[in-house]
């Protein structure tokens, strides 16, 4: 240990400076390496192919349809992504939708103004999220168990509150509710200003776009998001370095419930009715969308873009198969195969192609 | 002449009931000698009905030539049907209908009078148990409008008085009829669960007077149902237990003949699929639209009439 | 008054008694070495002081006040910085992100108060350069070499003006040159009258910077000697148990 | 570094020997610390309470029922546990059930002997498992994505093969099939030998018991299981130390499909019909059962006993609520609450009680 | 003929060139030290030799035969044992289970060939005792101290009769006493004409056991000298770059 200060002189910081500036990947390389990018490519190819194959696919009307149909799933996907990043899961989103719709629907049938009804719905939904968050974050229970419990509880609450009725006589504010759920923008001539060939996009879609932009911004620019990722990467380390782990996790579940509530209210407005079965089974679709978009169930990775693109991909496949007139019995097989293929495509960029994998299968293996 | 595409949209595709409608649809297609194609498509599972609305929207965007749909969520379906109307696509409803205020969105309803199923189920129960007793109704889903209608039919008939809205007012002694605690039971279309519920329930309430599923669920897994009902066969034979079930699929009729039920009230899904297709074809050809509603009729069966009750 | 006062602290994990009745103090600006065989309880001691878990028995006072830290963040709030033996890094974040984890630099005004990424990268680069470590601030920690990871954990403690720095084997994975820098850093801290507790198995390093050396064996303190009054041989004997007590 | 061999003499190995014999926890302590144990306790309490409350609950007939009803879920839970331990998930089990039932059912309606039909069903099921295993283990895809794809594919295959018909005319071997699915043992007097108060237990139950014993044995005594756990703990390390990671993972998925196939065939025999909808939504029930029994979704932990006890718990709650005559609308709320409570109870043993958690909530936190 | 022959091997990770054209050989029974600054590429070299990933360029020969190990298990099959820097332990298994991971001892006859747990526990206990490490074979690795974990990783290499043992900082976390044992172990291996490649930042250790020292800087080999022809000072200079080449 004969070291001394003079070393510094001999080589100086400059030489270390040379090194610290290096980036292992440029932003472009990172993008190309991401699964969402490749699923996006697959989606694009599918859209081009379908437009060529089936003229009714590429119409403005169908575009309006598709963009509206996947928006609620994508909106929930944004919330789910936040939860998945922390290493958790939220199985209750579908049931929360049902509860929110019933709470808002009840108030509407009692002739309350729409904002009161929507506010109450949001509150009910976020209360479910707070319940989940409390037991997961502060009590430390596994998220799968807590949100599975909530899946049952919220659905049951919806059934009880609705008295098993479909609610649809929405009182004076019914037109506003309907307008919220069915609004489109931009409007075609003559009502509006845009020509026929530009699709009218639903309020669902625009809400999704705005939420995705906000979530994307948050993910990139805020300390909160950095804490989310740190928790998913190494919860213990995050705790030791002073990240408010419990609070952040709690907020993640509340946010997930919030997005489920928004989706529910949009669908409520769109369908003009509240049914306690709304959202049944959506949890799997939402998780599927986000995972196809590249979110990691083990935590630590996920993007807003991925949540949107994954949901869009699922919906476009469904729509495309119908448009192509594929026998309905076979559609499930195609959907399944496409899901696997899209993700497989995305994987080829992690440095290893399918061919190489097959070649090396019984010899060399990726990590 | 161009070939039409008519879509037949069921509530869900994993129920043998709707398979029959599909068979009817396919038969009509075959008989039309290539004049139209039957496109059978619906959501995999029942759920809240949003997915079904999406599918109808897709069909409108695809510009099919006619749609026959069995709405899960009647109110929500109105939105899609409005789009169909705008696009000039003729629509029929079958199996279940849209809300009364949206009747103008479809040409006609072709299907069962669901309330009547309930009424007929109840009538069979009443002949077996004229003085009333405890009853348990087993339904499909808490939000299923058709099942709720049937439940209302049962309740109203037994109570002898009409209730304001489906699924009707629970029986609490009207006309001597009381619903057992914990009832109605909801199967959510899970067939094994429906058998489990029957077993559990009978274990708890061996002296139950009537058990009435508003759909065929338990009988769709015949041997399990046999095993579950077998212990009560004597009670059924002696009419101590009025087990009366909705629907009359062949597998169900077999079970009634074996003495595992005292009555079946069936619909004619095959005919729904068949008739809607023919009606759509007629409308396209400029012939008059079917009457609204067009009831496909019910088959009311008891062990005595088992071989003759089903209209062919 | 001593910065840290550990008062007959014990800690058990099930049947394992990791610490039994350990007491010692650390004065301001003092550098104390904590040595002992593997499993002697050194890291457990650090985690107790840093509030990772509570002692089974005994109490810990900081600046004369008994503290019951319930969370690591509270210990940090009281001016205690820690280099953990397992480094406590989030593998999916970059070096710079790890350095600033839990105390990110921000710019702009609420609600548009966003991360000042460039500033954090620059500051981290400086810290690494200070340690003479060729660690790239933008690299994911997952992909870094052992020594680079350790540099991140050390750099982290430099962000605040701590009054006590606990270093659990901070030089285990780093190279000769950086070891010298870390020792230099410890001396610098001392000169700013920051207290340091250094845990290390490297006898020469401990003797180079510590004022006092505490030796632990199987959970008990067996010696607490001023560096000038002892020798590496004696300490080795104490660690192994060849010398029973001192 | 003045060390030498002579140290050994000074203190000898003996002193180290003192240490190495220490066990941190006895087997009993380990058991008490396990979630499955506490869920078992909760189950026991529930059973005692219900028997007292509702005489019809404790009857031999009801015992026969309950033990049969949860057995298929528990059987699949054993396979799922194996997959969960490796850190994966198998969403396809419900669909695999449907496919297996249809394949076997078809062959039966073609008047094939029962063993041919069952064999073909098993093969079809295990082919699905092999597909899952191949893409997860050898290609390295996320298990969620692959098995989600298979969920669609297998269900679609079942629908196509069945031609959307319910199959129930099973030909000459129908009685054997039925006997397999409905057999009970021991039989009561007069047919059998045991007195009335001993419940007759279904073939489903006995198959479950045998499989659980085998899986339990494998978990404790074989290298294969040790490799499963190692993969779940640190897949990379397992690979580096020569564990045949890919092969073991592959086998895990095949085994999961195998258990789903067995459950399917039992239910086929029991119900006497093959419906392509069989098993719809079971994936969540199976995973719920295993997770309630203590398996860890993040991998590395799970027991055969836990899979059984968790499934039993879910079924007993369902049955008990019905027996207690709870309004069916409210039942979901109770189920959800009980799931959360049972797991909460299990957590109290990790050294921290709920009370302490609540007290320390905003101060001290469990890891 | 040399046991290991590394022929102008390079390895890149994206834009990072971790190794460029490195060549060297290790003869039977030779103990070679590999030194270098943090991030110099030492661990990458070890991982390449052990078959964790393939080189971007160049080839590696074992016993004169060019090897393309596609999996770590193949390298082990060829007689190469490794102590990884990150130890490669499964946290949810016990010490004994980790030691025998991938080569469990069994007893009984097929199909009742079951794990011989007691034998594995005993053998592990012996190995730990040999290393003078107070590591309990039945403890979960998750709950062990840093040095105890390292002992597990070292013990693992003792199970087979390797011809080449790669040790990536095997003494980083262990205490004085165990360091001596590990050095002793290396000498014993040498005397059985097993080759050892020792990576360490501890100059005295390297000088104590190595026949030859290879120095790497930023991915390139900058020196390869017999121990008797060099000094700690020279090596330090080579590592830091104060001495450019040798
Ligand atoms: N969470 C835990 N559960 C059970 N035992 C533990 C736990 N943490 C530490 N121990 C045990 O406590 C003892 C002391 O561990 P500690 O990590 O403090 O040792 P150390 O002195 O830091 O050793 P090293 O020099 O190897 O880092 C060890 O025997 C260890 O196995
Ligand atoms: N998987 C990887 N992806 C990208 N870069 C990597 C990866 N592994 C190593 N590197 C980089 O390669 C370089 C060499 O790393 P390596 O681990 O071989 O260093 P080392 O000599 O072992 O250092 P130390 O003494 O700190 O352990 C480092 O700059 C490191 O960041
Ligand atoms: O009317 C149908 C009913 O009979 C069946 O059981 O399920 C679907 C229903 O729509
Ligand atoms: Mg330690
Ligand atoms: Mg290294």
């Amino acid at each position: 240990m004969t070291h001394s200060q003079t070393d510094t002189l001999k080589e100086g910081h400059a030489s270390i400076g040379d090194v610290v500036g290096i980036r292992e990947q440029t932003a472009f390389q990172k993008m190309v390496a991401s699964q969402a990018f490749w699923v996006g490519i697959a989606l694009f190819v599918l859209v081009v192919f379908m437009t060529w194959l089936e003229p009714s696919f590429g119409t403005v009307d169908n575009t309006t349809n598709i963009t509206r149909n996947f928006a609620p799933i994508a909106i929930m996907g944004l919330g789910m992504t936040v939860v998945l990043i922390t290493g958790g899961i939220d199985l209750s989103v579908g049931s929360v939708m049902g509860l929110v719709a019933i709470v808002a629907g009840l108030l509407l049938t009692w002739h309350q103004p729409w904002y009161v009804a929507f506010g109450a719905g949001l509150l009910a939904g976020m209360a479910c999220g707070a319940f989940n968050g409390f037991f997961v974050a502060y009590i430390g229970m596994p998220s799968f168990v807590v949100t599975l419990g909530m899946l049952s509880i919220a659905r049951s609450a919806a059934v009880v509150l609705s008295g098993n009725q479909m609610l649809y006589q929405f009182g004076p504010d019914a037109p506003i509710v309907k307008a919220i759920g069915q609004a489109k923008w931009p409007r075609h001539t003559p009502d509006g200003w845009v020509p026929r060939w530009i699709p009218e996009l639903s309020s669902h879609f625009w809400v999704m776009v705005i939420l995705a932009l906000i979530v994307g911004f948050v993910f990139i620019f805020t300390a909160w998001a950095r804490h989310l990722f740190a928790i998913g990467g190494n919860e213990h380390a995050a705790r030791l370095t002073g990240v408010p782990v419990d609070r952040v996790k709690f907020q993640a579940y509340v946010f997930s419930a919030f997005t489920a509530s928004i989706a529910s209210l949009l669908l409520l407005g769109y369908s003009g009715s509240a049914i306690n079965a709304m959202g049944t089974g959506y949890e799997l679709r939402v998780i599927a969308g986000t995972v196809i978009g590249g979110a990691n169930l083990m935590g630590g990775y996920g993007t807003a873009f991925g949540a949107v693109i994954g949901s869009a991909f699922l919906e476009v496949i469904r729509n495309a198969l119908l448009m192509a007139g594929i026998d309905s019995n076979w559609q499930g097989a195609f959907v399944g195969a496409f899901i696997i293929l899209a993700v497989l495509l995305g994987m080829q960029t992690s440095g290893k192609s399918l061919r190489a994998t097959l070649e090396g299968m019984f010899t060399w293996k990726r990590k | 002449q161009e070939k039409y595409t008519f879509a037949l949209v069921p509530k869900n595709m994993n129920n043998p009931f709707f398979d029959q409608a599909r068979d009817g649809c396919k038969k009509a297609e075959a008989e039309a000698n290539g004049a139209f194609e039957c496109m059978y498509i619906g959501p995999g599972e029942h759920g809240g009905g949003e997915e079904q609305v999406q599918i109808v929207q897709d069909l409108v965007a695809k510009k099919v030539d006619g749609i026959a749909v069995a709405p899960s969520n009647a109110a929500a379906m109105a939105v899609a049907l409005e789009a169909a109307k705008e696009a000039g696509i003729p629509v029929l409803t079958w199996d279940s209908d849209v809300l009364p205020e949206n009747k103008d969105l479809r040409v006609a309803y072709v299907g069962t009078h669901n309330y009547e199923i309930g009424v007929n189920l109840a009538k069979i129960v009443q002949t077996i148990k004229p003085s009333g007793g405890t009853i348990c109704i087993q339904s499909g889903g808490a939000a299923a409008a058709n099942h709720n209608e049937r439940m209302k039919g049962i309740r109203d008939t037994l109570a002898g008085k009409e209730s304001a809205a489906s699924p009707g007012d629970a029986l609490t002694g009207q006309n001597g009829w009381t619903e057992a605690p914990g009832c109605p039971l909801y199967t959510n279309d899970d067939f094994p669960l429906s058998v489990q519920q029957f077993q559990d329930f009978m274990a708890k309430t061996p002296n139950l007077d009537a058990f009435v599923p508003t759909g065929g669920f338990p009988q769709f897994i015949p041997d399990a149902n046999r095993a579950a009902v077998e212990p009560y066969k004597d009670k059924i034979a002696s009419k101590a237990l009025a087990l009366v079930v909705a629907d009359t699929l062949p597998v169900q009729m077999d079970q009634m003949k074996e003495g595992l039920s005292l009555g079946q009230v069936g619909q004619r899904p095959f005919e729904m699929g068949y008739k809607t297709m023919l009606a759509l074809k007629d409308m396209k050809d400029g012939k008059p639209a079917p009457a609204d509603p067009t009831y496909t009729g019910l088959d009311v069966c008891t062990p005595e009439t088992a071989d003759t009750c089903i209209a062919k | 008054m001593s910065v840290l006062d550990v008062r007959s602290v014990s800690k058990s994990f099930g049947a394992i008694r990791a610490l039994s009745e350990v007491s010692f103090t650390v004065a301001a600006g003092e550098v104390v070495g904590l040595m002992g065989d593997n499993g002697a309880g050194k890291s457990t001691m650090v985690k107790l002081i840093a509030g990772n878990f509570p002692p089974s028995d005994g109490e810990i006072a900081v600046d004369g006040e008994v503290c019951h830290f319930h969370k690591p963040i509270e210990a940090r709030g009281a001016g205690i910085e820690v280099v953990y033996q397992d480094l406590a890094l989030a593998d999916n974040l970059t070096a710079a992100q790890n350095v600033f984890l839990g105390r990110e630099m921000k710019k702009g005004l609420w609600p548009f108060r966003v991360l000042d990424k460039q500033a954090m990268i620059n500051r981290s680069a400086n810290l690494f350069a200070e340690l003479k470590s060729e660690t790239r601030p933008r690299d994911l920690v997952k992909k870094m070499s052992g020594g680079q990871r350790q540099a991140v954990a050390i750099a982290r403690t430099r962000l605040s003006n701590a009054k006590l720095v606990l270093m659990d084997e901070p030089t285990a994975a780093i190279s000769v040159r950086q070891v010298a820098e870390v020792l230099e850093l410890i001396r610098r801290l001392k000169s700013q009258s920051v207290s340091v507790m250094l845990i290390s198995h490297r006898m020469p390093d401990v003797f180079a910077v510590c004022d006092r050396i505490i030796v632990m064996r199987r959970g008990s303190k067996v010696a607490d000697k001023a560096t000038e009054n002892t020798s590496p041989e004696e300490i080795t004997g104490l660690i192994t148990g060849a010398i029973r007590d001192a």
Side-chain angles (χ1 to χ4, degrees), chain A residues 62 65 68-69 164-166 168 182 270-271 273 275-279 282 285 315 318-319 322-323 328 331, chain B residues 22 39-41 48 50-51 54-55 57-58 61-62 73 75-76 79 99 101 142-143 148 166-167 186:
Chain A
N62 200 38
N65 265 347
R68 188 195 42 245
N69 287 342
N164 248 326
Q165 301 290 325
M166 167 151 109
Y168 63 97
Q182 300 195 356
Y270 177 66
S271 58
S273 70
I275 242 186
N276 54 37
M278 184 197 273
Y282 275 31
R285 278 165 73 178
E315 166 62 16
R318 195 191 60 70
N319 180 286
L322 190 145
M323 290 288 168
S328 57
Q331 294 196 2
Chain B
R22 172 194 148 107
M39 184 175 178
Y40 177 77
I41 176 92
E50 305 91 30
E51 202 183 338
Q54 290 182 1
I55 287 173
Q57 294 268 20
D58 292 344
K62 187 178 161 67
N73 179 336
V79 188
L99 295 173
E101 59 262 45
N148 282 342
S166 66
Y186 294 102

Side-chain angles (χ1 to χ4, degrees), chain A residues 26-104:
Chain A
T26 61
F28 175 76
Q29 285 172 322
K30 258 190 207 150
M31 188 185 78
V32 171
S34 85
Q35 184 170 312
F37 175 79
W38 289 99
V39 173
I41 297 278
L43 181 59
F44 180 77
V45 171
L46 186 64
V47 166
V48 169
F49 175 75
M50 278 302 301
T51 310
W52 168 78
L53 185 80
E54 179 64 47
S56 60
F57 180 85
T59 59
V60 274
D61 283 355
N62 200 38
T63 310
T64 307
N65 265 347
I66 293 180
T67 49
R68 188 195 42 245
N69 287 342
F70 78 78
I73 301 289
I75 289 171
M76 289 194 275
L78 293 169
M80 187 66 77
T81 300
V82 168
V83 170
L84 290 182
I85 288 173
T86 67
I89 196 166
D90 188 352
L91 297 174
S92 69
V93 287
S95 296
V96 167
M97 283 185 81
L99 178 62
V100 170
I102 290 299
V103 168

Side-chain angles (χ1 to χ4, degrees), chain C:
Chain C
M1 198 189 50
S2 46
V3 170
L4 177 72
D5 190 353
V6 175
R7 295 175 192 157
S8 108
V9 155
S10 302
K11 178 74 192 176
S12 304
F13 300 104
I16 312 290
R17 197 160 173 81
L19 290 176
S20 29
E21 315 228 336
V22 177
S23 306
F24 63 90
T25 61
V26 179
E30 197 180 18
V31 180
V32 175
L34 189 57
M35 298 197 76
D37 211 345
N38 295 131
K42 306 178 294 297
S43 298
T44 305
M45 192 70 236
V46 166
K47 290 181 190 160
L48 275 178
I49 299 171
N52 292 19
F53 38 60
S56 310
D57 234 319
E59 56 186 28
I60 294 172
V62 174
D63 274 344
E65 242 178 274
V66 173
C67 290
H68 281 285
F69 297 137
H70 294 286
K71 290 187 201 169
I73 179 89
E74 291 172 9
R76 181 191 279 178
I80 300 178
E81 288 286 335
V82 192
V83 180
Y84 288 100
Q85 188 173 14
D86 68 3
L87 308 183
L89 301 175
D91 263 0
N92 58 336
L93 301 186
T94 66
Q97 289 171 350
N98 265 289
V99 168
F100 282 89
L101 193 57
R103 39 191 168 184
E104 289 78 7
M105 292 169 80
K106 292 177 196 151
K107 64 181 178 193
L109 284 177
W110 200 89
F112 296 102
R113 221 167 144 55
V114 298
L115 293 172
D116 191 347
K117 296 188 187 187
Q118 196 54 50
M120 291 192 278
I121 290 174
N122 294 343
R123 181 95 171 83
S124 312
N126 280 340
L127 289 172
F128 297 144
E130 237 177 64
L131 290 168
K132 298 243 171 66
S133 175
E134 298 192 355
T135 302
R136 294 172 293 272
R138 288 188 190 83
D139 268 17
L140 288 183
V141 164
K142 186 173 20 209
K143 299 180 171 178
M144 297 190 340
S145 84
Q148 291 168 337
R149 297 166 62 95
Q150 187 135 36
V152 175
I154 298 171
R156 212 181 242 172
T157 59
R158 309 287 301 121
L159 294 182
S160 73
N161 289 317
K163 65 176 154 231
L164 171 63
V165 180
L166 307 173
M167 295 189 168
D168 196 351
E169 310 200 17
T171 57
I174 58 181
S175 147
V176 231
R177 168 156 71 159
Q178 288 85 310
V179 170
E181 293 305 322
V182 172
L183 297 182
E184 190 49 42
L185 166 65
I186 293 175
R187 287 194 200 98
R188 229 167 31 240
L189 289 171
K190 180 181 166 66
S191 72
Q192 293 156 9
S193 82
V194 175
S195 312
V196 177
M197 207 164 108
L198 173 67
I199 295 174
S200 174
H201 294 298
R202 299 177 171 227
M203 203 62 73
D205 297 359
V206 175
F207 273 81
V209 294
C210 294
D211 302 315
R212 201 148 51 84
I213 300 176
I214 295 173
V215 180
M216 299 192 43
R217 192 162 67 235
R218 295 199 183 155
S220 302
K221 185 172 102 170
V222 291
D224 187 342
K225 308 196 112 188
T227 312
E228 63 248 34
N229 299 337
T230 184
S231 65
E233 288 69 25
E234 188 188 15
I235 297 292
T236 304
L238 284 164
I239 291 174
T240 59
I243 304 173
R244 282 279 157 222
D245 227 314

Side-chain angles (χ1 to χ4, degrees), chain A residues 35 338-349 352 354:
Chain A
Q35 184 170 312
F338 277 143
I339 291 175
I340 295 177
L341 280 175
V343 175
L344 197 58
L345 179 70
M347 287 180 51
Q348 301 321 306
T349 54
K352 183 110 183 297
L354 179 60

